[in-house]
Amino acid sequence: MDFSPLTEALASKSYQNIADICDNLLLQAAAEGVAYEDDWPYSIHLLAHIYVDDINSARFLWKSIPSAIKESQLEVVAVWKIGQKLWMRDYGGVHEAIRGFDWSQEVQCLVAAFSELYTKRMFHLLLSAYSTISIQDTALFLGMSEDDATNYVLQQGWVVDPASRMLTVKKQTIVTEQKLDATKLQRLTEYVFHLEH
């Protein structure tokens, strides 16, 4: 089995493409009747689906993995533990699952990239969902110590109240430029005129 497209994607850190590459290689192997189960990089494949936030595909892949592989490859089980935490929306548990295993060299870069991406996702979730939040809850969501989480959000412009140990979320302003084209304005005018007459 030729894993060169996968190796190239990992080397170039094109993690968003790995799930599709693995899916295509899996279909190719199945179509050719090649025995792939023992050599297949299940950890990378599962984690790639998790990386692109496709938990359903990760679940179906997990169900298709032979039980002998699940029993013999602890790293596959550790990756699935991350998927389970995501499925259950146990946001703090995702970080625990990431830190709770000694990852192999092949998977370590992908896990680190996912961890960073997940922290950013959680930050944006907090940003959109809260106006104030406790330091403790912020640390849980971001998977950091309270001091690290406080420093992280202070760099993003949030304000801390040391007395109540609460953080005030600073919403980031979204700058959108609306270009008003004369032809668009003309079409809109004609449309409104048509509706009125």
Side-chain angles (χ1 to χ4, degrees):
M1 184 96 215
D2 179 25
F3 290 113
S4 60
L6 177 60
T7 308
E8 290 169 12
L10 285 168
S12 66
K13 299 185 188 241
S14 302
Y15 301 129
Q16 69 279 2
N17 300 330
I18 292 176
D20 289 336
I21 291 170
C22 287
D23 288 343
N24 289 335
L25 287 172
L26 191 64
L27 288 172
Q28 180 183 350
E32 294 172 359
V34 177
Y36 61 87
E37 284 88 3
D38 294 335
D39 299 331
W40 193 257
Y42 286 109
S43 301
I44 292 172
H45 195 171
L46 262 176
L47 195 55
H49 283 297
I50 291 170
Y51 182 88
V52 295
D53 208 17
D54 188 2
I55 304 304
N56 283 327
S57 293
R59 275 185 56 228
F60 291 124
L61 177 62
W62 172 255
K63 289 179 179 184
S64 71
I65 297 174
S67 53
I69 300 291
K70 292 177 185 176
E71 293 169 7
S72 65
Q73 296 182 16
L74 297 178
E75 192 167 63
V76 174
V77 177
V79 170
W80 180 236
K81 188 169 188 165
I82 296 170
Q84 286 175 313
K85 299 294 182 183
L86 286 168
W87 184 260
M88 300 302 291
R89 293 192 173 102
D90 180 2
Y91 303 115
V94 172
H95 295 288
E96 291 172 14
I98 290 170
R99 289 190 297 264
F101 190 79
D102 187 22
W103 303 100
S104 68
Q105 192 66 33
E106 300 86 33
V107 179
Q108 198 168 20
C109 291
L110 185 54
V111 170
F114 170 72
S115 179
E116 184 179 326
L117 178 68
Y118 185 70
T119 300
K120 288 179 184 175
R121 284 181 190 159
M122 288 298 98
F123 176 75
H124 288 291
L125 176 68
L126 296 178
L127 193 63
S128 65
Y130 290 91
S131 58
T132 58
I133 185 171
S134 71
I135 293 174
Q136 181 181 4
D137 288 343
T138 303
L140 179 71
F141 276 97
L142 298 179
M144 303 175 181
S145 68
E146 290 185 10
D147 290 337
D148 290 342
T150 303
N151 290 333
Y152 183 82
V153 297
L154 285 175
Q155 290 174 356
Q156 307 298 322
W158 292 20
V159 180
V160 65
D161 178 14
S164 63
R165 299 191 42 78
M166 295 293 286
L167 295 162
T168 303
V169 176
K170 182 182 178 203
K171 304 284 184 193
Q172 296 173 340
T173 56
I174 300 171
V175 179
T176 57
E177 289 185 28
Q178 247 185 349
K179 296 181 181 178
L180 199 56
D181 188 7
T183 58
K184 290 180 185 175
L185 188 57
Q186 179 66 33
R187 281 189 297 178
L188 181 62
T189 305
E190 290 172 3
Y191 182 71
V192 171
F193 180 76
H194 177 72
L195 289 176
E196 290 178 351
H197 298 319

